[in-house]
Amino acid sequence: MTLDGSEVRELVAYRNSTAKNQSLAEARLRPGQSTRLHLHRTSEEIYYILSGMGKMRIGGQVDSVEPGTAVLIPPGVPHQITNTGTNLLIFLCICAPPYEHEDTVLLDEPVDAQNA
């Protein structure tokens, strides 16, 4: 589990490979679940949606996401993803520099899926 509340499986990072400047993880959210609103101080992040449906909040903008959607999240920008579908929302998280709990700043409680 990451600090934002998603279930994550780290695929490639310095902890399990020779990667030094980036990390790749697969995240999963159950129907109705949201990550906590958070930001990363230094990491630029990309979410790539593999399956499921959701709403992605970046700063003050909220957009729908579905399989094939790629979302760029700049460092320092608050973001949150909500599973609005009936199946698991599964997405890849690519971070550069690599993801670290210490780089994550939690900002607020999760948003209810009906209000996302």
Side-chain angles (χ1 to χ4, degrees), residues 74-95:
V77 176
H79 56 283
Q80 177 180 48
I81 190 166
T82 300
N83 183 341
T84 58
T86 57
N87 298 311
L88 275 177
L89 176 61
I90 302 173
F91 55 101
L92 297 177
C93 304
I94 302 101
C95 292

Side-chain angles (χ1 to χ4, degrees), residues 7-12 24-28:
E7 177 186 330
V8 172
R9 181 171 59 114
E10 196 166 61
L11 302 172
V12 178
L24 171 65
E26 179 188 83
R28 294 169 177 252

